[in-house]
Amino acid sequence: MDHLIIEGTKSSPHVHFDADTGVLEIRGKSYPANAAQFYTPILGWVEEWLGKFTARQITLNLEMIYLNSSSSKAFLNLFSILDRHAESGQEVVINWGYHEEDETALECGKEFMEDLEAVNFNLVRITER
């Protein structure tokens, strides 16, 4: 299966899902005009890929500068897919990166963490250099 790579824009995040290693990354801003239209193919790719992936661990790294409520719903759908997969025995790690001065991103990550049961959800503070 091919990797999934979507270049970021001013309103949509950069997506790089490595089909071989199981490292998935989403970075940037997420407020596309139609979040469902943007994220539906991504969720579909993940569902298909999970049926074929055989490596030991899946890691989702996120570093979101901003996301709107529609994008939050799409992220919750993604996290739910991964959480269900983790319930079947697959090790899944989600690393929610937030910049140390961004309390909103930290709170958003905490809210997502509360909704998940089987994945290892980490809040990762990013310090500015």
Side-chain angles (χ1 to χ4, degrees):
M1 185 165 181
D2 291 335
H3 304 308
L4 176 63
I5 300 172
I6 301 170
E7 293 300 322
T9 68
K10 76 171 194 156
S11 63
S12 63
H14 175 79
V15 176
H16 185 261
F17 290 0
D18 189 313
D20 300 325
T21 66
V23 176
L24 316 176
E25 296 185 345
I26 304 175
R27 302 185 187 285
K29 297 178 182 177
S30 184
Y31 59 97
N34 187 333
Q37 183 178 21
F38 180 79
Y39 283 102
T40 295
I42 294 171
L43 297 174
W45 184 95
V46 170
E47 291 272 15
E48 180 182 349
W49 172 74
L50 286 173
K52 300 173 181 178
F53 186 67
T54 58
R56 190 174 162 273
Q57 178 177 306
I58 296 168
T59 303
L60 173 60
N61 296 315
L62 298 123
E63 185 180 336
M64 300 310 301
I65 297 168
Y66 173 80
L67 67 156
N68 64 9
S69 58
S70 298
S71 295
S72 292
K73 174 66 175 153
F75 275 63
L76 188 56
N77 290 338
L78 173 60
F79 297 160
S80 294
I81 291 167
L82 293 173
D83 201 45
R84 283 192 309 273
H85 198 67
E87 287 173 351
S88 70
Q90 175 75 56
E91 184 177 356
V92 178
V93 176
I94 298 175
N95 295 311
W96 180 267
Y98 67 94
H99 291 268
E100 61 185 338
E101 74 284 350
D102 190 348
E103 290 293 319
T104 303
L106 173 59
E107 291 304 315
C108 186
K110 287 179 180 178
E111 288 177 20
F112 282 131
M113 187 183 337
E114 290 174 4
D115 292 332
L116 303 171
E117 297 178 12
V119 300
N120 296 318
F121 195 103
N122 303 305
L123 297 169
V124 180
R125 183 170 49 114
I126 300 167
T127 56
E128 298 299 322
R129 294 179 182 85

